[in-house]
Amino acid sequence: MMFWNGHNVSGWGVFLMSFGMLLFWVLIITAAVLLFRSLGRPAERGGDGQGPWSGPERVLAERYARGEIDDEEYHRRLDTLRVSGPPGTGKK
């Protein structure tokens, strides 16, 4: 019968086994975290042009929230968007 002392596992063998086990667990944990994050993320809805938070109005609201445009410019552009209608309808 062969036991562990008969396999001549040197210092490099122990190092490689330890490194392999560490790499294995890092890959398992990384896969679990990525899976958890992807399942926990809300589904993105496509811009169907319906509702006040779609397309250009959403971009405008985000710019206003970041402080890129002031209150007056936000309302002026929002009115312009609502008067002109959705893109591609020909309403002017």
Side-chain angles (χ1 to χ4, degrees), residues 60 74-84:
L60 186 63
Y74 171 73
H75 288 293
R76 182 176 52 83
R77 290 183 182 214
L78 186 61
D79 290 339
T80 303
L81 283 173
R82 289 184 176 165
V83 168
S84 66

Side-chain angles (χ1 to χ4, degrees), residues 8 13 18 39 42 45 61 63 72 74 79 87 89:
N8 294 328
S18 299
L39 292 177
R45 297 187 321 196
R63 289 187 62 199
E72 180 182 330
Y74 171 73
D79 290 339
T89 61

